[in-house]
Amino acid sequence: MKIKFPLIVILTVLTQGLLFSQKILTLKECYDLAFAKSSLAGEADAYSDISGLNDENLKKGWLPSLDANANALYNSNVVDFSKTLGSIPGMSKLLTPMPHDQYKVTLDINQVIYDGGTIKSGRAIEKADQNINRKQTESDMYKLRDQVNAYYFNIMLIRKQKELLANYLDLIKKRIASIESAMKNGVIIRSDADILISEKVKTEQQLTENELRGKSLMKNLSDLTGTNIDNAVDFVLPDQGEDLKTGILRPELQLYDLKKEKLSAGLQLEQSKRLPKAFGYATLGYGKPPGQNFFQDSFGPYYVVGAGIKWNIFDWNTVKNRKEAIMIQQGIIDNRKKDLTDNLNRQLEAKSADISSLEALTGSDAELIAIRKRITASSESQYQNGVITANEYLNQLNAEQQALINFEIHKINLALAKVEYLNISGNDIH
């Protein structure tokens, strides 16, 4: 007991270490990792920042605008009252010609009082743009999911094939060892051994090819997700349950709705162009002459304040034409949305048929494997008794192996079909 106890402790620690070193990576985690590594991850924040900056600029349309101006001019002809009124006694000394040169520096202030809803409509368009960009990013993510699906499920398929091939190879090796023993006793001829040896070589080649392809797929998935994936990483076959009948939530459909919202905001913007605009203004200046006092031939301060209304009474139907163009665009979007909806429904029907077919296959695979195992066992007995040849026995063994492989392929393809069904409909996997 004193000798065995440390050995048990060591084995327990090693076993626990192996268990904890085995990392499990789900399909959902791969989606998240791939999205985080891709350029799509930063686009949402970038578009939000852009929209925030544009919205700030639009809101500032309510703030007064300040413009500094300066100019100097010279008039060749100016009003000279001394020539017309100089004949009046005493007036010629009071009247002096207006200055030919004028100078002024001004600060012009303009304030929007009522804009007819232009700023509000502009902000609505900007908000719609932000939502469209965010939804477009979400739509592009589904293309990324398709890439992850291809690598993830193919790796699972490769690994399962590798496991079955390794078991098959062990079985062939045992049969070869048994045959070699029988050959020494002269019971079996050399050709029977060669048949099984050639099968062993072929299986080893398949395992080598399987290993190389698996490494390639794992490297591609590692690059896509930004995480190290090797044989120590274990994958989980996703189980989506039986009922997949859900509504279509594809972001592309929502994208069309958002584009229509933007066009509706554009209609409001066009309508606002036909409404009157009210504004106030003020000018603070320093010049010669100051303001409109042309009789003062010296520099001085002045100011001007006022308010106004601007209304484009007739625009030659330009706004009306733009509104009609927008409504035509909305009709085009409705048609495209309908076409996409019909196409997605057709894809879902086809994928649903695939799921039903694969469920039927997996349901009958167990029975087929049981039958194949019985046939193989009978063939082995017949071969050992010299009733059939080694080649005939090997054919039955291969048939059993293929039935096992088909069962695993059907299970993995069924899980993939369900995941693809959810991706087509725009629903999240479990």
Side-chain angles (χ1 to χ4, degrees), residues 8-157:
I8 293 172
V9 172
I10 292 171
L11 289 174
T12 303
V13 171
L14 288 175
T15 303
Q16 289 178 344
L18 288 172
L19 288 174
F20 285 117
S21 66
Q22 190 77 9
K23 179 183 176 183
I24 296 176
L25 188 63
T26 66
L27 180 62
K28 182 68 165 58
E29 289 172 338
C30 284
Y31 285 167
D32 295 337
L33 289 169
F35 178 72
K37 184 179 182 296
S38 72
S39 60
L40 298 175
E43 285 186 6
D45 292 336
Y47 284 131
S48 180
D49 292 341
I50 292 170
S51 181
L53 293 171
N54 291 337
D55 189 62
E56 282 295 319
N57 286 341
L58 289 168
K59 286 192 295 184
K60 288 174 182 176
W62 288 111
L63 300 178
S65 63
L66 304 175
D67 296 299
N69 296 285
N71 59 54
L73 61 88
Y74 181 86
N75 293 311
S76 61
N77 295 311
V78 295
V79 177
D80 187 355
F81 291 104
S82 62
K83 293 180 179 180
T84 58
L85 302 176
S87 59
I88 301 174
M91 290 297 291
S92 60
K93 294 181 179 181
L94 297 175
L95 297 173
T96 59
M98 294 177 64
H100 288 267
D101 57 330
Q102 296 178 18
Y103 310 92
K104 62 179 178 180
V105 177
T106 64
L107 178 64
D108 298 326
I109 304 172
N110 289 280
Q111 173 65 56
V112 175
I113 298 173
Y114 176 70
D115 70 342
T118 302
I119 294 176
K120 180 181 178 181
S121 298
R123 293 183 67 189
I125 291 175
E126 183 58 42
K127 183 66 175 177
D129 266 333
Q130 180 188 6
N131 292 333
I132 286 172
N133 290 329
R134 185 184 293 115
K135 195 59 65 175
Q136 183 62 59
T137 299
E138 188 179 335
S139 175
D140 292 339
M141 192 177 72
Y142 278 83
K143 300 174 184 177
L144 194 62
R145 287 185 176 187
D146 289 337
Q147 296 180 52
V148 172
N149 288 343
Y151 294 131
Y152 192 91
F153 284 96
N154 274 317
I155 290 171
M156 292 192 72
L157 189 59

Side-chain angles (χ1 to χ4, degrees), residues 47-319:
Y47 284 131
S48 180
D49 292 341
I50 292 170
S51 181
L53 293 171
N54 291 337
D55 189 62
E56 282 295 319
N57 286 341
L58 289 168
K59 286 192 295 184
K60 288 174 182 176
W62 288 111
L63 300 178
S65 63
L66 304 175
D67 296 299
N69 296 285
N71 59 54
L73 61 88
Y74 181 86
N75 293 311
S76 61
N77 295 311
V78 295
V79 177
D80 187 355
F81 291 104
S82 62
K83 293 180 179 180
T84 58
L85 302 176
S87 59
I88 301 174
M91 290 297 291
S92 60
K93 294 181 179 181
L94 297 175
L95 297 173
T96 59
M98 294 177 64
H100 288 267
D101 57 330
Q102 296 178 18
Y103 310 92
K104 62 179 178 180
V105 177
T106 64
L107 178 64
D108 298 326
I109 304 172
N110 289 280
Q111 173 65 56
V112 175
I113 298 173
Y114 176 70
D115 70 342
T118 302
I119 294 176
K120 180 181 178 181
S121 298
R123 293 183 67 189
I125 291 175
E126 183 58 42
K127 183 66 175 177
D129 266 333
Q130 180 188 6
N131 292 333
I132 286 172
N133 290 329
R134 185 184 293 115
K135 195 59 65 175
Q136 183 62 59
T137 299
E138 188 179 335
S139 175
D140 292 339
M141 192 177 72
Y142 278 83
K143 300 174 184 177
L144 194 62
R145 287 185 176 187
D146 289 337
Q147 296 180 52
V148 172
N149 288 343
Y151 294 131
Y152 192 91
F153 284 96
N154 274 317
I155 290 171
M156 292 192 72
L157 189 59
I158 286 290
R159 288 182 174 182
K160 186 55 66 174
Q161 287 176 337
K162 179 181 178 181
E163 178 186 339
L164 294 173
L165 284 171
N167 293 336
Y168 182 62
L169 181 62
D170 288 341
L171 181 60
I172 293 296
K173 286 179 178 178
K174 289 177 182 178
R175 295 294 178 268
I176 291 173
S178 174
I179 285 178
E180 287 178 345
S181 175
M183 282 177 55
K184 292 177 181 178
N185 298 325
V187 178
I188 295 177
I189 59 175
R190 181 67 193 178
S191 60
D192 284 353
D194 287 340
I195 290 173
L196 289 177
I197 291 172
S198 67
E199 185 68 14
K200 168 180 168 291
V201 173
K202 186 182 75 172
T203 305
E204 289 172 340
Q205 289 176 338
Q206 290 175 336
L207 278 169
T208 301
E209 182 183 359
N210 180 286
E211 182 70 22
L212 292 174
R213 188 163 175 238
K215 286 181 178 179
S216 175
L217 290 169
M218 285 187 287
K219 182 180 183 304
N220 289 334
L221 188 58
S222 296
D223 293 340
L224 192 62
T225 58
T227 187
N228 183 35
I229 298 174
D230 52 26
N231 288 324
V233 177
D234 194 18
F235 290 175
V236 179
L237 193 66
D239 182 11
Q240 304 306 316
E242 299 297 328
D243 187 15
L244 297 177
K245 302 299 182 182
T246 55
I248 299 179
L249 302 175
R250 283 289 293 206
E252 292 88 343
L253 296 177
Q254 300 169 40
L255 193 59
Y256 284 130
D257 293 333
L258 292 172
K259 287 181 177 179
K260 284 191 67 177
E261 287 182 16
K262 180 181 177 181
L263 290 174
S264 295
L267 281 173
Q268 293 298 321
L269 179 61
E270 293 299 331
Q271 185 63 37
S272 69
K273 294 178 181 179
R274 299 289 295 120
L275 298 176
K277 310 293 188 295
F279 58 91
Y281 60 89
T283 299
L284 306 177
Y286 184 81
K288 171 191 173 185
Q292 302 297 321
N293 188 2
F294 294 105
F295 294 102
Q296 180 178 331
D297 191 13
S298 62
F299 284 93
Y302 67 96
Y303 69 90
V304 177
V305 294
I309 295 178
K310 185 178 180 180
W311 191 1
N312 185 4
I313 299 175
F314 186 67
D315 67 346
W316 304 101
N317 289 330
T318 56
V319 169

